[in-house]
Amino acid sequence: MEDGLEAPGPLWKIIVVAAIAAGVQFGWALQLSLLTPYVQTLGVPHTWAAFIWLCGPISGLLVQPIVGYNSDRCTSRFGRRRPFIAAGACCVAGAVFLIGFAKDIGHKAGDSLDKSTKPRAVAVFVTGFWILDVANNMLQGPCRALLADLSANNHKRMRVANGWFSFFMAVGNVLGYAAGSYSNLHKIFPFTVTTACDVYCANLKTCFIIDILFLLLVTITAISCVKETPLSKKVMKQEEEKASTPLVGELLTAFKTLKKPMWILLLVTCLNWIAWFPFLLYDTDWMGREIYGGHVDGNDNQQKLYDNGVRAGALGLMINSIVLGFASLGLENIGRLVGGVKNLWGGVNFILAACLASTVWITKVVEAWRDTHGLLAPPSNIKGSALAVFGLLGIPLSVTFSIPFALASIYCSASGGGQGLALGVLNMAIVIPQMFISVVSGPLDEAFGGGNLPAFVLGSIVAAISAVLAIVALPNPPKQVSLNPAMAGGH
């Protein structure tokens, strides 16, 4: 073979490359747990915070296919994947620096500390945040492709490689959520506390500094230890001659040839992610606002309650990741017990609907408690109920990260398509709902008096609809599908 590997690479190389996922997921976990509250400290209204998150799905829709398409044809002497992995890691480091130091840069550029809105800091933050999402997508695609190259089309080794990638994703999640829930992390780097950056901001800054160091360490280790055979220009020219349609043409052709089972799968997946994204976007903000009764622009007590609530939310997300890991191990057996994958998917979507609906009940209970006891941190039983919601949601999340991808692969294989093309099409059903929720959730919440509950209620309703469709409309696959969550390949 003129490019790639003749035999699967040794396991240690796969582990080294897969470890990059921990660095990427560390930063993603910090985004989920801390950045929506941080945006509001810059003066961005809660209503508009969701629009900033549009970059994630947009970059997922555009960047990953483009980077993957070009990395397949890269003729660099360093290999096809490593140049993109190195560039992606450097872009992530630069973007994280802009996000963490946005307040300091904005203050130096003229932002007033006395005004709640800091326009220059917002501009720096948004620039860094969008670069971060683009860079994350730029890094993950070639990393997964390199794992595929190391597997050399050996199916068993591919499952092992994806298993290690998923393992390190869980490691990154736990590290990110644990760091986000610890309030004294800024003491590691005392210089992070500045005139423009308080303790909460300094904690976030410290988390991102640690993420930069960790990501660069695992990336440098991977690209130094794992070598690639460069793709020859002759082979690339032959491949281009075979490909009559470019990337966009291939996707359009795929949609034209989709069979009914795949269209139903796309619909259920689309509804599933409309249900998920409000909670993924506002989970820690819900803990800070509704459960703890804090406010990012309130008095000192309200700000302290909000910060404590956000840290409790980060703890909840860590619990969620742990449950996700354990739940993933039992999906195969549970699927057999409930009569197949579509019944399992429908059942856990009902769990998702119930958990999102329960946020309303928990919020009303804690509001009634505060009417009697005043503006204090919630009692342990209410806090425990909120954290239980985070934990229970790990069960449907494990299914969301596995079954849709497995079914897409088998449906498209049955119709003559490939797994890469199947997952590319399925990605459209994931990122488009995320863009929809990013646009409508803020105005929806504002229309009903602010807060996060309206978007959660919308998610609960849509989750119930997706559950019914999964059970009633989704066809049974021709044969048993592996429910290994390593097939998921998403956040």
Side-chain angles (χ1 to χ4, degrees):
M1 298 174 64
E2 291 186 73
D3 64 303
L5 298 172
E6 294 184 357
L11 181 60
W12 70 267
K13 288 187 176 182
I14 286 176
I15 294 174
V16 167
V17 174
I20 295 175
V24 174
Q25 204 66 17
F26 191 145
W28 178 250
L30 291 174
Q31 289 185 59
L32 289 177
S33 61
L34 297 178
L35 283 191
T36 293
Y38 179 63
V39 167
Q40 294 175 64
T41 68
L42 300 178
V44 178
H46 180 272
T47 308
W48 293 98
F51 286 95
I52 296 175
W53 283 88
L54 273 173
C55 179
I58 290 175
S59 61
L61 184 66
L62 300 176
V63 176
Q64 273 201 11
I66 293 172
V67 169
Y69 185 81
N70 286 282
S71 71
D72 284 339
R73 291 155 177 77
C74 179
T75 57
S76 168
R77 64 187 180 89
F78 297 106
R80 291 186 293 171
R81 319 299 183 187
R82 291 191 301 163
F84 289 91
I85 292 174
C90 290
C91 289
V92 168
V96 163
F97 176 83
L98 289 177
I99 291 172
F101 287 82
K103 279 190 173 181
D104 296 305
I105 297 173
H107 180 56
K108 293 289 185 182
D111 279 344
S112 173
L113 297 179
D114 299 327
K115 296 182 179 179
S116 59
T117 301
K118 302 169 179 62
R120 296 169 183 82
V122 171
V124 172
F125 170 84
V126 172
T127 300
F129 185 75
W130 278 63
I131 294 174
L132 177 62
D133 268 314
V134 170
N136 274 338
N137 281 287
M138 183 178 177
L139 178 59
Q140 287 189 74
C143 183
R144 292 180 182 280
L146 182 54
L147 287 175
D149 294 341
L150 290 170
S151 301
N153 291 325
N154 182 296
H155 291 181
K156 181 179 179 180
R157 184 51 61 93
M158 180 70 78
R159 291 194 298 269
V160 171
N162 283 329
W164 278 105
F165 196 89
S166 291
F167 169 78
F168 281 112
M169 284 177 63
V171 170
N173 269 340
V174 172
L175 289 175
Y177 296 144
S181 65
Y182 184 53
S183 60
N184 293 316
L185 204 61
H186 65 281
K187 293 180 179 179
I188 299 176
F189 301 114
F191 65 86
T192 56
V193 179
T194 63
T195 304
C197 189
D198 58 11
V199 171
Y200 176 79
C201 168
N203 274 324
L204 178 64
K205 195 188 299 183
T206 301
C207 287
F208 276 128
I209 291 174
I210 295 172
D211 180 40
I212 290 174
L213 297 175
F214 181 58
L215 177 61
L216 292 180
L217 174 64
V218 294
T219 302
I220 292 171
T221 302
I223 62 178
S224 300
C225 296
V226 180
K227 307 298 181 183
E228 292 183 90
T229 302
L231 175 67
S232 70
K233 293 183 179 180
K234 179 181 177 181
V235 172
M236 185 194 71
K237 186 176 180 180
Q238 292 173 348
E239 291 296 326
E240 288 179 342
E241 290 174 352
K242 291 179 184 178
S244 58
T245 57
L247 172 65
V248 176
E250 291 179 5
L251 285 175
L252 291 176
T253 301
F255 274 106
K256 290 179 181 178
T257 57
L258 286 181
K259 305 296 184 182
K260 181 180 177 181
M262 191 65 186
W263 280 113
I264 298 174
L265 173 62
L266 293 179
L267 176 60
V268 176
T269 301
C270 178
L271 293 174
N272 199 193
W273 277 98
I274 289 176
W276 267 115
F277 203 58
F279 191 80
L280 295 177
L281 185 63
Y282 292 124
D283 43 20
T284 55
D285 188 64
W286 172 64
M287 288 291 287
R289 278 173 172 255
E290 278 87 354
I291 302 304
Y292 273 72
H295 199 283
V296 76
D297 293 324
N299 56 39
D300 290 344
N301 183 43
Q302 289 176 319
Q303 290 180 8
K304 182 179 179 181
L305 286 171
Y306 184 81
D307 291 348
N308 290 339
V310 169
R311 283 192 289 271
L315 174 62
L317 288 170
M318 183 173 66
I319 295 171
N320 175 274
S321 296
I322 295 171
V323 173
L324 166 64
F326 282 106
S328 300
L329 300 177
L331 290 183
E332 197 76 54
N333 293 330
I334 297 173
R336 285 195 293 266
L337 287 175
V338 299
V341 294
K342 70 171 194 173
N343 291 338
L344 175 58
W345 195 5
V348 298
N349 277 349
F350 280 124
I351 294 176
L352 172 60
C355 286
L356 292 177
S358 72
T359 60
V360 178
W361 174 74
I362 296 172
T363 299
K364 297 305 179 183
V365 169
V366 74
E367 287 175 352
W369 182 87
R370 275 198 294 270
D371 289 340
T372 303
H373 297 83
L375 191 60
L376 300 171
S380 57
N381 61 326
I382 295 178
K383 179 182 176 181
S385 298
L387 292 178
V389 170
F390 280 86
L392 285 173
L393 285 174
I395 298 173
L397 192 60
S398 67
V399 174
T400 300
F401 281 174
S402 58
I403 288 180
F405 299 89
L407 290 178
S409 179
I410 196 167
Y411 287 158
C412 282
S413 295
S415 61
Q419 185 178 15
L421 185 59
L423 298 182
V425 171
L426 186 67
N427 191 56
M428 306 280 285
I430 296 173
V431 298
I432 291 175
Q434 291 179 4
M435 289 189 282
F436 170 75
I437 290 297
S438 292
V439 171
V440 305
S441 62
L444 177 66
D445 291 341
E446 192 69 21
F448 286 90
N452 300 299
L453 295 185
F456 290 177
V457 171
L458 171 64
S460 178
I461 295 171
V462 175
I465 296 172
S466 69
V468 173
L469 284 176
I471 295 172
V472 175
L474 196 65
N476 280 313
K479 56 184 178 180
Q480 181 64 44
V481 183
S482 172
L483 301 185
N484 185 353
M487 299 180 66
H491 287 300

